[in-house]
Amino acid sequence: MTTKVAVKIRLKRFGKKRAPYYRVVVMDSRSKRDGRAIEEIGKYHPTEEPSFIEIKSDRAQHWLSVGAQPTEQVAAILKITGDWQKHKGIEGQEGTLKTKVAKDAFVAPEKDSVILPEAITPKADKAAATEAPAEEAAEAESTEAE
């Protein structure tokens, strides 16, 4: 059974509608959700792929050791980062945090190495369209004359 404590580790919401991001904070359990925090110990951005999670591990360990209770959401985040396992002294202290794969730097090709297709402009399209039937008609006349 957990005991009721005055200090909680919970999420403080920022952002706008349908685009939330959170800060992991240590707060008095009786304060408002977005009220004054005792200390900010991390960030959580759930809308990114994969979700961005950044926790100051030493501060999280400190607050867990002095009795601060995490909410369910923060407990799940701490399990992902491995801080909860470290606090409890169980296996899996490396956590399962996924990070973004760094994109390869874009390198522009050299100027003469790429062959670009000829530019097609509306005027060129009209000229090509009028030339093609004229050529076909000229070929048809030449075959009839023979």
Side-chain angles (χ1 to χ4, degrees):
M1 181 174 135
T2 60
T3 58
K4 294 285 184 182
V5 292
V7 179
K8 292 245 182 208
I9 302 174
R10 63 188 195 192
L11 297 175
K12 185 175 181 180
R13 185 185 162 121
F14 288 89
K16 53 189 178 180
K17 289 182 184 178
R18 297 178 197 84
Y21 61 93
Y22 300 91
R23 290 188 187 157
V24 181
V25 294
V26 178
M27 299 180 87
D28 188 305
S29 63
R30 297 163 291 194
S31 62
K32 295 179 182 178
R33 178 190 73 179
D34 299 334
R36 186 175 62 86
I38 298 170
E39 183 180 356
E40 292 181 2
I41 62 170
K43 297 176 185 175
Y44 172 53
H45 299 257
T47 55
E48 293 183 13
E49 188 58 42
S51 296
F52 174 77
I53 299 172
E54 181 183 284
I55 301 288
K56 296 176 189 170
S57 185
D58 59 329
R59 296 310 298 160
Q61 294 302 315
H62 166 75
W63 283 107
L64 289 170
S65 68
V66 295
Q69 294 291 314
T71 61
E72 289 181 23
Q73 298 88 343
V74 173
I77 291 170
L78 292 175
K79 286 176 185 173
I80 291 171
T81 60
D83 291 318
W84 184 253
Q85 293 90 320
K86 198 179 295 181
H87 170 67
K88 291 292 187 181
I90 56 178
E91 294 180 17
Q93 293 184 12
E94 66 280 349
T96 58
L97 182 63
K98 296 178 185 174
T99 56
K100 281 188 177 181
V101 177
K103 291 184 178 180
D104 294 335
F106 176 75
V107 178
E110 293 184 21
K111 186 174 182 180
D112 298 330
S113 67
V114 178
I115 301 173
L116 298 174
E118 292 181 20
I120 300 175
T121 61
K123 290 182 180 177
D125 286 343
K126 289 180 183 177
T130 55
E131 288 175 11
E135 289 175 4
E136 291 173 7
E139 288 178 17
E141 289 177 10
S142 64
T143 56
E144 288 177 8
E146 294 176 4

